[in-house]
Amino acid sequence: MYKLLIVEDDSIIAKSIKNHMEGWGYEAVCITDFENVKKIFVREQPHLVLMDISLPFYNGFHWCDEIRKISKVPVIFLSSASDNMNIVMAMNMGGDDFIAKPFDLNVLQAKVQAMLRRTYDFSAESSLIEHRGMVFDCGNGIITFEGKRVELTKNEMRILQELLESKGKIVTRDRLMERLWESGSFIDDNTLTVNVARLRKKLEEVGIEDVIKTRKGIGYVVD
């Protein structure tokens, strides 16, 4: 179970986030002692921090900087001050993402899930998928076929992995966009079409043709 540390001095917002995240199976801890955020971080050892900017005693930038001195745990800033200066400052102080208030709790949950996936799930060892003589290294995004190799972009890699993991079954366009969105790539329908076209072209460059078939109005299938 992933643990989230919520550093938010508005008790109503903090409680709402806590209840929502716990409903999705996360453990959530709300800080109430805003003078000792770093000590509580060390004690709780969370997997991710949700950090407000405006806090009593010291602001969120200060505490993010303190956390970065001892940990690479992802920090997502939450703030109603969503001007460019605050966003730039948040990133410069070691933040990993920025969400402007007011926000939808489902959007927050999706961003948290995506961040946890990128930070922890994708750190596993590379896995190989073989299909019709093609070998796909999911970890490095490299395809090899009859002595030739080609490198894929992150989006192309995730599209191909989703299709190969569902061999023989149609994967809808909505599912592919959801997979990319979960991984932090916010693409639209047209961008998905472009990514699939580029993926097909790279496969053809190494001699792999007609692997990805279109099911008009539905999605794609690898067979």
Side-chain angles (χ1 to χ4, degrees):
M1 180 186 293
Y2 290 115
K3 180 188 285 190
L4 313 178
L5 186 65
I6 303 168
V7 190
E8 166 63 67
D9 64 327
D10 186 316
S11 60
I12 295 176
I13 294 177
K15 187 175 181 180
S16 296
I17 295 173
K18 175 180 171 66
N19 292 340
H20 186 83
M21 292 303 173
E22 288 179 341
W24 280 91
Y26 298 105
E27 181 181 354
V29 177
C30 294
I31 280 185
T32 55
D33 180 1
F34 295 97
E35 199 169 4
N36 294 291
V37 172
K38 186 176 179 180
K39 288 183 180 179
I40 298 170
F41 172 85
V42 173
R43 183 187 73 204
E44 296 293 339
Q45 298 186 37
H47 296 93
L48 182 144
V49 178
L50 295 172
M51 179 79 71
D52 189 17
I53 291 179
S54 299
L55 296 168
F57 302 104
Y58 304 97
N59 64 28
F61 298 140
H62 168 82
W63 290 121
C64 183
D65 187 46
E66 288 296 301
I67 288 171
R68 279 291 165 265
K69 293 176 181 177
I70 59 173
S71 174
K72 294 182 179 179
V73 163
V75 176
I76 298 178
F77 277 98
L78 311 174
S79 178
S80 55
S82 59
D83 59 273
N84 289 339
M85 183 61 71
N86 276 293
I87 295 173
V88 171
M89 179 69 76
M91 300 301 105
N92 286 342
M93 298 306 289
D96 296 278
D97 206 344
F98 188 104
I99 302 178
K101 298 177 184 177
F103 50 79
D104 185 289
L105 286 170
N106 290 313
V107 173
L108 175 64
Q109 183 270 329
K111 287 218 171 203
V112 166
Q113 182 182 42
M115 186 65 67
L116 290 171
R117 278 170 58 91
R118 291 200 300 272
T119 305
Y120 300 105
D121 291 357
F122 294 151
S123 64
E125 292 183 5
S126 299
S127 57
L128 303 178
I129 300 177
E130 190 278 334
H131 179 67
R132 287 168 49 178
M134 169 186 75
V135 178
F136 175 45
D137 185 334
C138 303
N140 295 314
I142 296 174
I143 293 172
T144 55
F145 180 72
E146 295 182 348
K148 299 178 182 178
R149 57 180 279 160
V150 65
E151 294 185 12
L152 305 182
T153 65
K154 288 183 179 180
N155 282 353
E156 294 163 353
M157 177 180 71
R158 286 163 185 149
I159 290 169
L160 183 59
Q161 184 173 351
E162 185 71 25
L163 292 172
L164 288 173
E165 288 175 349
S166 304
K167 275 187 284 191
K169 299 179 182 179
I170 297 175
V171 180
T172 66
R173 293 177 65 85
D174 286 343
R175 173 54 195 153
L176 288 173
M177 286 189 286
E178 179 186 343
R179 174 70 179 265
L180 294 171
W181 190 76
E182 287 174 354
S183 305
S185 299
F186 304 101
I187 71 170
D188 58 21
D189 197 66
N190 290 332
T191 309
L192 176 62
T193 299
V194 172
N195 275 271
V196 172
R198 289 175 178 168
L199 174 57
R200 280 176 166 151
K201 185 176 180 180
K202 286 186 177 180
L203 291 172
E204 290 171 358
E205 287 174 359
V206 294
I208 305 169
E209 299 182 358
D210 298 323
V211 171
I212 301 174
K213 301 185 183 300
T214 300
R215 294 293 182 261
K216 193 172 182 180
I218 305 175
Y220 305 94
V221 62
V222 166
D223 57 16

